[in-house]
Amino acid sequence: DTTDDSVYKLLKLPFLHNIQECYCTLLDIPVDLCLVILQLLNLPLIKVLHLLTERLQLKDESTNSILHTDKYSELETCIAMNSTLLEMKLQCIFNDNPIITITSVINGVTRNKTITSF
């Protein structure tokens, strides 16, 4: 399994669907940050999401971004339309520059009416 597959499988476990607050740290792993954030936001009761990332080896951020613009639009819309999310904190220290993902997050938060802290 890839790291993305492992994270996806973990977040699909039934007992996680009751989580309202998530404090997650990702360190030094190959990951598609956009998809990880989407998976965390798809937890049905999530109200608080804090994600710390350090030294991630980003996948699909720059070279394939044109081919994957749908996922960035989905991330922005998911954040904008999420009515349970009240607080979101992303602390990112990258080897690469995840400008597309960060831009999608900021645009989504700007459009969201329920997030009181970012």
Side-chain angles (χ1 to χ4, degrees):
D1 282 352
T2 66
T3 303
D4 289 332
D5 291 338
S6 297
V7 171
Y8 180 75
K9 287 178 183 176
L10 174 70
L11 293 173
K12 291 295 180 186
L13 294 173
F15 70 89
L16 292 178
H17 290 237
N18 294 322
I19 289 179
Q20 294 183 19
E21 295 186 15
C22 178
Y23 303 88
C24 183
T25 300
L26 302 174
L27 299 173
D28 200 20
I29 57 172
V31 69
D32 185 327
L33 182 60
C34 182
L35 292 179
V36 169
I37 295 171
L38 271 169
Q39 290 168 0
L40 290 168
L41 290 171
N42 282 323
L43 294 172
L45 301 177
I46 193 76
K47 292 181 180 180
V48 176
L49 174 60
H50 289 204
L51 178 61
L52 167 64
T53 63
E54 269 190 54
R55 300 181 312 275
L56 290 184
Q57 302 154 24
L58 297 177
K59 299 181 345 185
D60 290 334
E61 184 66 36
S62 57
T63 55
N64 296 326
S65 62
I66 294 171
L67 301 174
H68 299 294
T69 54
D70 287 349
K71 73 178 178 184
Y72 301 110
S73 295
E74 182 182 354
L75 175 61
E76 182 178 332
T77 301
C78 181
I79 295 169
M81 303 304 287
N82 190 315
S83 61
T84 61
L85 191 64
L86 302 175
E87 179 178 322
M88 183 174 185
K89 178 179 181 181
L90 296 178
Q91 185 175 348
C92 307
I93 301 168
F94 294 105
N95 295 337
D96 300 316
N97 185 2
I99 191 71
I100 300 168
T101 297
I102 299 303
T103 301
S104 297
V105 168
I106 291 170
N107 289 340
V109 168
T110 302
R111 293 175 38 209
N112 184 292
K113 304 297 183 218
T114 60
I115 295 177
T116 59
S117 178
F118 176 69

